[in-house]
């Protein structure tokens, strides 16, 4: 009897297989409609603005402040390693004075936004997906609908807003920490004074270098948060499905960040950076 019950539970946990084309359409279409509903709920949703601000602030604390240690550690490592590698390579040609400029452009244009977004895709994306997936498989989402509330307003929208705000702020924090780490390494290993380092960094950096990198993180945060919410709300298969959904969002988000980064770089080079 126990064996029959276990087989029945395994059969109930299995979701019907989807063809690759249908799965593609359901994923992209589902994320698009979730985004549309989130925008609609933001302007005219049932959730009051005070409640939305409170829920968004809770998510900002959960997603942002608890990621500071991870972002700080990655920023320290990134800045120190880049200064050391650039310095070692340019020493052969007598070009160590170009280290501050190369490090600054690399961090603010590319490595800062990309590395921070990849880390947050694992930290934030997996957290959102696992939380909503657990609520879905335990029928808490159905309970919210039964009470007359919208999951888009109470669960999706605060997380999308929080992610959109947290990603650029943490990216700026990571870039600042990276520059400090690179300055320390340049001073101790390459004999470049702090005043000279800061002067050359400010001389090469332009506002376009900073805000184009931050704009990348906004695009990444929208995809990660929406895809994580969509996957979590559509998870089936019990605890096994929760684990599969968590893996799904980390892999898809990382691929999206790397591919989208190329096209965003091309767009910025042809428009903003070309004339900056």
């Amino acid at each position: 009897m126990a064996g029959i019950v276990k087989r029945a539970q395994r059969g109930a946990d299995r979701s019907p297989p989807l063809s690759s084309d249908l799965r593609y359409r359901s994923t992209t279409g589902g994320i698009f409609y979730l985004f549309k509903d989130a925008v609609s709920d933001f302007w005219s949703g049932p959730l009051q603005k005070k409640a939305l601000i409170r829920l968004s602030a809770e998510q900002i604390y959960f997603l942002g402040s608890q990621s500071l240690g991870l972002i700080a550690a990655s920023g320290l490592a990134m800045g120190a390693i880049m200064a050391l590698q650039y310095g070692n390579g340019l020493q052969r040609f007598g070009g160590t004075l170009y280290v501050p400029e190369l490090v600054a452009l690399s961090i603010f244009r590319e490595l800062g936004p990309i590395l921070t977004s990849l880390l947050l895709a694992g930290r934030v994306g997996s957290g959102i997906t696992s939380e909503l997936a657990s609520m879905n498989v335990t029928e808490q989402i159905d309970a919210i609908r039964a009470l007359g509330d919208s999951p888009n307003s109470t669960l999706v929208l605060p997380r999308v807003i929080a992610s959109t705000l947290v990603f650029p702020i943490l990216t700026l924090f990571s870039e600042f920490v990276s520059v400090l780490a690179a300055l320390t390494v340049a001073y101790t290993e390459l004999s470049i004074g702090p005043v000279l380092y800061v002067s050359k960094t400010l001389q090469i950096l332009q506002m376009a270098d900073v805000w184009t990198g931050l704009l990348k993180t906004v695009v990444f945060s929208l995809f990660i948060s929406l895809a994580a919410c969509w996957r979590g709300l559509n998870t089936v298969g019990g605890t096994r499905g929760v684990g599969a959904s968590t893996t799904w969002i980390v892999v898809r988000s990382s691929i999206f960040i790397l591919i989208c980064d190329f096209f965003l770089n091309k767009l910025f080079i042809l428009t903003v950076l070309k004339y900056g």
Side-chain angles (χ1 to χ4, degrees), residues 19-33:
S19 66
S20 59
D21 183 55
L22 181 58
R23 186 181 298 112
Y24 171 79
R25 291 201 305 269
S26 63
T27 301
T28 54
I31 294 174
F32 171 78
Y33 281 108

Side-chain angles (χ1 to χ4, degrees), residues 33-229:
Y33 281 108
L34 186 63
F35 174 72
K36 181 178 71 67
D37 293 340
V39 173
S40 176
D41 287 342
F42 178 78
W43 294 111
S44 58
L47 195 65
Q48 294 182 356
K49 291 298 183 285
K50 289 185 178 179
L52 178 60
I53 292 174
R54 177 179 57 82
L55 292 173
S56 300
E58 292 176 357
Q59 290 301 315
I60 289 173
Y61 171 77
F62 174 72
L63 302 179
S65 63
Q66 297 187 13
S67 302
L68 282 175
L70 174 65
I71 299 303
S74 66
L76 282 171
M78 177 172 59
I81 291 171
M82 288 182 61
L84 194 61
Q85 289 291 346
Y86 279 140
N88 180 59
L90 292 174
Q91 257 183 346
R92 306 173 187 176
F93 311 102
T96 53
L97 290 179
Y98 293 104
V99 169
E101 299 166 339
L102 290 173
V103 169
L105 289 178
S106 300
I107 288 175
F108 283 91
R109 283 190 181 184
E110 189 64 27
L111 290 179
I114 291 299
L115 184 58
T116 303
S117 297
L118 286 173
L119 290 173
L120 291 178
R123 169 69 176 82
V124 173
S126 62
I128 293 175
T129 303
S130 61
E131 182 181 9
L132 296 186
S134 299
M135 295 177 66
N136 193 47
V137 298
T138 55
E139 300 182 352
Q140 296 180 52
I141 304 296
D142 294 333
I144 293 175
R145 293 192 180 100
L147 292 173
D149 292 331
S150 170
N152 287 339
S153 298
T154 57
L155 298 177
V156 175
L157 191 54
R159 286 165 173 80
V160 173
I161 293 175
S163 298
T164 307
L165 295 175
V166 162
F167 273 57
I169 293 173
L170 288 180
T171 299
L172 272 178
F173 174 71
S174 173
E175 292 167 348
F176 178 74
V177 172
S178 297
V179 170
L180 287 181
L183 184 151
T184 304
V185 172
Y187 177 69
T188 56
E189 299 291 334
L190 306 175
S191 300
I192 300 177
V195 176
L196 177 61
Y197 190 98
V198 173
S199 175
K200 294 183 75 66
T201 298
L202 295 177
Q203 181 180 357
I204 194 64
L205 273 183
Q206 298 180 357
M207 283 303 301
D209 300 319
V210 178
W211 72 259
T212 52
L214 296 181
L215 188 57
K216 288 181 183 180
T217 63
V218 173
V219 176
F220 299 154
S221 67
L222 282 174
F223 175 83
I224 292 171
S225 58
L226 287 169
C229 290

